[in-house]
Amino acid sequence: MVDEEAVSDRIRQIAATLADRAGELTGDLVQLYAADLPQLVNDDERMVSLLSASVYQNIETALQILQHGIDPATVEPPAAAMEYARRLAQRGTPVFDLIRAYDLGQAAMLDFGFQECIRLVDDAALLGAMMRRLLKVAYEFITRVVRQLVGVYQDERDKWLLNRSAARAAKVLDLLSENGGPPDVDAAEAVIGYRLRGTHVGMIVWHASETHDVLSLLESVAGAVLERAGGEGRPLFVPRDEAGAWAWLPVASVHREHLDAALAEADPGVRVTVGDPGTGVAGFRDTHQQARRVHALALAAGEHCDRVLTFREVGTVALMTSDLNAARLWVASTLGPLSADDENCARLRDTLRVFLAAGGSYTTAAGELTMHKNSVQYRVRKAQELLPRGLAESRLDVELALNLSQRLGAAVLSPA
């Protein structure tokens, strides 16, 4: 049977030997990280220095545990190790890389320790007992330190993201305000993490009802629209409350099919309003203001409103009035009985809308509606009979009222 005191004596001897080489071992580990985990170094002299201090203090702490028989469960992570974890969190380095670094460090230090054991001890039983002791202590120490450092990392990451989000939101509000003269574009871009000199499409995204993790859902929708529009990079996403956000996409244009495709795969409660493209800081403001005007109209229209509204489609009405009652009265006066909220009038309105959009071509409208040309002629005639004025004198108003009825539905139609 192996004498435990003999095991402890030999372990203390090996720990003392390795303590004399702590600086050398630190250098070896830092080189190992530079080769296997270069993202931990990233050519940043301050991070390299902090990494070296973290490694050295971890080695020193582990060796003191072995030399003095300290219970690893009572040991706190070294100060440099905790600060290094915080810095990694601030830089967005994945926590997996931090855990991987400790796995590599543990394997390397055990290798150094085993080499010393083999060099100093000939007795196989004593050698085996020493290696088991080293494995046990190393596992307990690293497990405790990593568990605590992951907590430090996550706390710092949450705090960093919160502060960064607050700073970004404040800078966006500053950019949207025209007070204070021209902004420092370079400084603003650095804070918000978004290029202001390009072309933008502003969006308002929100959820019509309460659900779990709404903001993540809305951010994914903004990303899906950007992807379908062929944009590169990431949207600028600024939460406004727990169920809504402002977004800017770095693209020259967003077409209706991009929006419909993204919304088709999203939660049914998601709603979007979109401004026209704008360039530079002025365009950044303009496209956002357009999206907000349409957003106000969508909120007033309620749940019957289309899930996607663009300034290009309903901007005229959004600019004309923020009073939905006035819009409803105008639609009724323009369309007359055709404004009734029933299935028959809905079919007639849709046929007349497509016919007018097709430039008055029955053939084109029939192809668009997948109907026979005679059916289109019949419906167009019936729809015109319901209009209070002939198309010749009110065509523009009728087209606008029909488009508004399609997008806002019952919110602007007359009760059947």
Side-chain angles (χ1 to χ4, degrees):
M1 185 174 179
V2 177
D3 183 354
E4 289 299 319
E5 188 58 38
V7 173
S8 297
D9 287 342
R10 288 291 192 170
I11 291 288
R12 281 193 289 269
Q13 182 182 355
I14 289 171
T17 301
L18 293 177
D20 292 336
R21 298 173 52 198
E24 174 192 342
L25 296 174
T26 297
D28 290 344
L29 283 181
V30 171
Q31 288 185 8
L32 175 66
Y33 294 146
D36 287 17
L37 292 169
Q39 60 270 36
L40 297 185
V41 179
N42 201 28
D43 298 324
D44 187 322
E45 185 176 338
R46 293 173 300 175
M47 289 298 286
V48 173
S49 176
L50 189 55
L51 173 61
S52 298
S54 173
V55 171
Y56 184 86
Q57 290 182 12
N58 274 312
I59 291 174
E60 189 178 50
T61 302
L63 294 177
Q64 287 178 0
I65 289 172
L66 295 172
Q67 283 182 287
H68 304 292
I70 300 171
D71 182 359
T74 65
V75 174
E76 299 296 322
M82 289 196 290
E83 184 58 28
Y84 187 68
R86 291 190 187 97
R87 298 285 182 88
L88 292 180
Q90 293 169 4
R91 290 165 176 254
T93 304
V95 71
F96 174 80
D97 291 342
L98 177 64
I99 297 171
R100 174 66 177 155
Y102 275 86
D103 288 341
L104 290 174
Q106 175 180 244
M109 287 303 297
L110 283 172
D111 186 52
F112 296 143
F114 289 165
Q115 289 179 33
E116 286 299 309
C117 289
I118 294 169
R119 186 177 69 83
L120 295 174
V121 179
D122 294 327
D123 185 304
L126 178 58
L127 182 62
M130 292 171 63
M131 288 183 171
R132 285 193 295 274
R133 175 80 66 83
L134 287 175
L135 279 169
K136 180 176 183 295
V137 172
Y139 172 78
E140 292 178 353
F141 170 66
I142 294 299
T143 299
R144 176 171 173 78
V145 168
V146 168
R147 183 180 294 116
Q148 290 180 285
L149 290 183
V150 167
V152 169
Y153 173 99
Q154 194 58 55
D155 288 345
E156 183 64 24
R157 186 68 182 154
D158 292 344
K159 182 172 69 175
W160 179 261
L161 289 175
L162 182 63
N163 291 340
R164 184 177 179 185
S165 179
R168 182 171 56 192
K171 179 54 67 175
V172 166
L173 288 174
D174 185 49
L175 287 168
L176 294 175
S177 170
E178 297 185 3
N179 299 326
D184 183 334
V185 176
D186 290 332
E189 287 181 341
V191 172
I192 66 176
Y194 178 85
R195 189 169 181 270
L196 291 166
R197 292 179 171 85
T199 302
H200 334 276
V201 171
M203 294 173 52
I204 308 294
V205 285
W206 75 101
H207 201 283
S209 59
E210 294 183 5
T211 187
H212 177 68
D213 202 15
V214 170
L215 292 177
S216 295
L217 175 64
L218 298 179
E219 188 169 13
S220 69
V221 170
V225 174
L226 176 62
E227 182 180 353
R228 284 167 172 76
E232 297 181 356
R234 299 179 61 185
L236 172 59
F237 185 83
V238 181
R240 295 301 297 160
D241 55 37
E242 61 185 14
W246 298 343
W248 286 261
L249 310 184
V251 290
S253 63
V254 172
H255 299 303
R256 181 75 192 198
E257 56 265 29
H258 303 146
L259 297 161
D260 289 340
L263 267 291
E265 298 179 0
D267 186 283
V270 175
R271 302 286 186 268
V272 176
T273 60
V274 185
D276 286 341
T279 303
V281 175
F284 182 86
R285 296 188 188 114
D286 292 344
T287 187
H288 172 71
Q289 292 300 334
Q290 290 172 352
R292 288 189 69 181
R293 284 182 181 275
V294 181
H295 176 241
L297 189 64
L299 291 181
E303 61 181 14
H304 299 293
C305 182
D306 195 358
R307 291 179 68 192
V308 178
L309 290 178
T310 70
F311 188 79
R312 185 173 300 277
E313 294 166 337
V314 298
T316 304
V317 174
L319 291 171
M320 284 169 51
T321 178
S322 58
D323 185 342
L324 207 59
N325 270 336
R328 187 182 302 110
L329 291 172
W330 180 78
V331 168
S333 68
T334 302
L335 299 182
L338 189 60
S339 67
D341 186 15
D342 60 40
E343 291 185 11
N344 180 57
C345 284
R347 286 193 294 268
L348 297 180
R349 282 195 303 271
D350 193 49
T351 304
L352 182 58
R353 178 183 59 81
V354 174
F355 169 73
L356 293 175
S361 168
Y362 291 107
T363 303
T364 303
E368 181 78 18
L369 295 165
T370 62
M371 292 170 55
H372 193 278
K373 178 180 176 182
N374 291 342
S375 298
V376 174
Q377 290 176 326
Y378 172 79
R379 287 190 183 180
V380 168
R381 185 174 70 253
K382 284 294 183 182
Q384 290 188 77
E385 289 174 358
L386 296 175
L387 294 175
R389 294 180 299 280
L391 274 179
E393 58 180 297
S394 61
R395 175 165 179 156
L396 182 61
D397 285 349
V398 168
E399 281 197 80
L400 182 58
L402 289 171
N403 283 317
L404 187 60
S405 299
Q406 183 205 17
R407 296 302 176 195
L408 301 186
V412 294
L413 294 174
S414 302

